[in-house]
Amino acid sequence: ANTARFDYIIVGGGTCGLVLANRLSEDSGVTVAVIEAGDSVFNNANVKNTTTYGLSLGTSIDWQYSSAPQVYGNNRTLGYNQGKALGGTSVINGMTFVRPESAQIDLWEQLGNKGWNWSSLFENSKVAEHFVPPPSSQTALGAAYNPSYHGKEGHVGVGWTSAFIDTNAYQTFNTTWRNLAVPYNQDPNGGKLRGFSVWPYTQKDDIRQDSARSYYWPIAAARSNLQVFVNTTATRILWQKDATTGLEVADSVESVGANGTKLTISASREVIISAGSIRSPLLLEQSGVGNAQILKKFSIPSVIDLPSVGENLQDQPNNGVLAISNHTWVGSPPYVTFLTAQDLFGTNASTVEAQVRKNIPSYAALIAQKSNGAFQASVQERLLTTQADLIFKDAISLVEIYHSPFSGIVNFPFWNLLPFARGSIHVNSQDPTAHPLINPNYFEFDFDLQVQVMAARTGRKALNTSPLSSVVKSEISPGTYTVSKDASDQVWGDWVKRTYTSNLHPVGTCAMLPRDIGGVVDAELKVYGTKNVRVVDASVLPFQVCGHLTSTLYGVAEKAAKIIKQT
Ligand code: FDA
């Protein structure tokens, strides 16, 4: 076996991992190692492409997980994609760049994460951003922005592709939503999402700006104090107990290369886990940090009994309303509409709210009961109430309807942004490179389905509203043969459950929260019970966010780098 020693070891050269690799190696006096299971994809044409979504899904740079059978969602097993490459999921994703609702980030601080509020996240997310303002040819088509919402000095290029060329689409969609009393939102990137918007992408000059192309290749790759081990999967952290504090100290990380070679790297300062929401909790469990009862089943000796590891998984279901159009849509149109509970439920909103609040104690009890002892019902009740407050009091967005018209089709993929369901990810094998058990528990609660049904109804309504209705020939999904014009919620719900896929936005499995309310890491992103192990990736987000994840994650990683450097 080979051995080496570095000051910092980063496990996972993905979206967040490469931000840290860049920032920590800025100090030439420290040495940094990145362990990445995938390969470099700098020259991969599917990765660079900015006009066709999904080219890398199902290829060797996708982990190609599948979920556990979804007991509340027709017992279906769903495909579950995540990026496996230098750059992580940012090399396979849809590239949309849209920040969350400010109120939902302020909640992080209100629950005990000092310093983690909207204003700080917004600043750090702007630090990551290199916004390229649209030329007049693009503003004429609807590209719009508020300059104070964007960073100019960062590494990640953000803007519109030249393929954004349909002259009809902007006015058609915008006017349709106005006719449904949904306002135009000039720029959704400043913490308020509601309305119809034209959003930018993480791209520059028609090339994807993933975290490797932004943070690693142009600046960090040439540094002699940074070493990246690609095609290398970390399998275990090895520990030593600090006699004075009783804390566990990560001493080294064991890995296995593509050809089976074992590698042990020692850490002089810290181990930072950035393996993403699926594999960060898995690596902790494989290293003895997690629910001792679960680890025992796989003969893993318990080092820190931390049952919250891998719990609190939050993801969204995705369905689509589609119609055949008599207009041929050109290009790669960046349109979206975010809707609140009020938009969806109208005059029924307060009745719906009362029902949700009445049900929260039973939701909390079920979540606690299935958490393998990680959560107390009373704590969950408090946390779910904060979620209801965001939805009904702060009126943050509850549904996203993405507009993805292509050639002769109008396509509205849509999702409930804030399901109450809580799932889990846990070790499922003694083989350290095997996949974990992924269980998002889609549609665990009635309200989660009700929201998805209302989103579907609203998508259909938009297709039948002028001026969009004048270019729509016939609906093909669900189609009135499957779900008739006067169909009940039950019929809509059955269709939703038959056709949903994962929205692939898993968060929360190593939540940043106080330990007594289910946290895995503290406000400095340090794993409870350890002296020198942090987690920095989507798994630390304590709750789902309404924007898409990378804008938040780049901000989290930039802030994390500052915290680590100050230590
Ligand atoms: P990320 O997955 O980026 O990085 C983890 C890295 O760790 C990976 O490179 C992995 O190979 C590596 N790794 C894991 N285990 C390891 C081990 N044991 N040893 C070594 N390496 C290991 N967001 C958005 O803002 N706009 C969008 O359009 C989309 N669209 C989208 C589409 C699809 C298909 C998906 C799956 C996701 C999106 N997202 C998105 C979400 C977003 O891209 C995603 O949440 C982040 O990129 C995740 O970043 P992380 O740093 O958490 O993990």
Side-chain angles (χ1 to χ4, degrees), residues 260-372:
T261 336
K262 294 234 164 80
L263 172 71
T264 304
I265 305 179
S266 303
S268 307
R269 295 194 190 177
E270 294 196 14
V271 172
I272 300 153
I273 306 175
S274 295
S277 289
I278 308 295
R279 274 192 129 79
S280 285
L282 178 65
L283 182 68
L284 283 173
E285 290 187 335
Q286 288 168 333
S287 309
V289 181
N291 187 325
Q293 295 306 316
I294 294 174
L295 305 195
K296 208 171 154 190
K297 284 191 243 163
F298 300 97
S299 313
I300 301 169
S302 173
V303 177
I304 302 169
D305 191 9
L306 191 59
S308 47
V309 171
E311 297 293 333
N312 192 48
L313 171 62
Q314 294 169 47
D315 196 7
Q316 304 145 328
N318 184 312
N319 293 85
V321 168
L322 260 86
I324 295 177
S325 172
N326 50 28
H327 174 76
T328 302
W329 305 84
V330 191
S332 164
Y335 311 112
V336 67
T337 300
F338 286 95
L339 302 169
T340 63
Q342 185 69 43
D343 293 324
L344 290 170
F345 295 107
T347 51
N348 278 338
S350 53
T351 316
V352 172
E353 175 180 0
Q355 192 62 43
V356 169
R357 291 192 187 274
K358 194 171 140 236
N359 286 339
I360 281 179
S362 65
Y363 292 180
L366 185 62
I367 290 170
Q369 184 202 322
K370 294 201 303 187
S371 70
N372 303 300

Side-chain angles (χ1 to χ4, degrees), residues 384-455:
L384 298 184
T385 300
T386 64
Q387 184 169 331
D389 290 345
L390 287 173
I391 294 170
F392 295 106
K393 274 198 199 152
D394 298 298
I396 70 169
S397 304
L398 180 56
V399 153
E400 171 173 338
I401 300 187
Y402 179 39
H403 309 356
S404 166
F406 59 96
S407 57
I409 300 282
V410 179
N411 184 17
F412 282 149
F414 60 87
W415 52 98
N416 175 351
L417 291 161
L418 298 170
F420 281 79
R422 298 292 186 265
S424 62
I425 287 175
H426 288 297
V427 58
N428 198 28
S429 166
Q430 267 168 343
D431 170 2
T433 59
H435 293 178
L437 189 67
I438 303 173
N439 181 13
N441 274 330
Y442 294 110
F443 307 116
E444 184 176 18
F445 303 118
D446 293 349
F447 182 61
D448 295 350
L449 183 62
Q450 194 182 353
V451 170
Q452 195 71 351
V453 164
M454 279 315 291

Side-chain angles (χ1 to χ4, degrees), residues 11-16 35-38 53 57 63 81-85 87-90 92-96 232-234 274-277 279 504-505 537-538 548-551 553:
V11 177
T15 312
C16 291
I35 303 172
E36 168 52 48
Y53 169 69
L57 303 181
W63 283 94
N81 316 88
Q82 297 284 297
K84 182 183 186 181
T89 303
S90 71
I92 68 164
N93 76 7
M95 295 183 298
T96 55
T232 305
T233 305
S274 295
S277 289
R279 274 192 129 79
L504 306 171
H505 285 184
D537 58 31
H548 294 198
L549 292 172
T550 57
S551 59
L553 296 177

